[in-house]
């Protein structure tokens, strides 16, 4: 009976490791997508910007994003 419980526990651990990996990857993709969503630069809007979007003046910062 102990072997069966251990096998079930290992199965659950592997299943949750895969889920965690998927969550981390999706979260990273979501952050990158949001970070690449442009809005007019602060110079163009007179100091106003929407929180969470990247104000683009030259595009250098947005183009410098690299993923490994």
């Amino acid at each position: 009976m102990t072997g069966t419980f251990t096998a079930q526990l290992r199965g659950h651990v592997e299943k949750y490791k895969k889920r965690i990996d998927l969550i981390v990857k999706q979260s990273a993709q979501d952050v990158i997508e949001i970070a690449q969503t442009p809005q007019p630069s602060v110079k163009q809007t007179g100091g106003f910007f929407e929180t969470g979007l990247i104000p683009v003046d030259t595009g250098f910062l947005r183009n410098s994003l690299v993923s490994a």
Side-chain angles (χ1 to χ4, degrees), residues 11-30:
H12 286 296
V13 167
E14 289 304 313
K15 180 171 68 172
Y16 289 120
K17 281 183 181 180
K18 289 178 185 177
R19 286 184 181 178
I20 289 170
D21 188 45
L22 290 174
I23 289 169
V24 168
K25 288 178 181 178
Q26 185 62 51
S27 297
Q29 287 178 349
D30 291 346

Side-chain angles (χ1 to χ4, degrees), residues 1-52:
M1 182 139 193
T2 304
T4 305
F5 175 73
T6 304
Q8 287 177 343
L9 191 57
R10 282 190 185 129
H12 286 296
V13 167
E14 289 304 313
K15 180 171 68 172
Y16 289 120
K17 281 183 181 180
K18 289 178 185 177
R19 286 184 181 178
I20 289 170
D21 188 45
L22 290 174
I23 289 169
V24 168
K25 288 178 181 178
Q26 185 62 51
S27 297
Q29 287 178 349
D30 291 346
V31 167
I32 289 171
E33 182 179 332
I34 292 168
Q36 288 182 327
T37 304
Q39 66 175 320
S41 72
V42 177
K43 291 178 189 175
Q44 294 170 338
T45 62
F48 173 78
F49 65 93
E50 185 178 338
T51 304

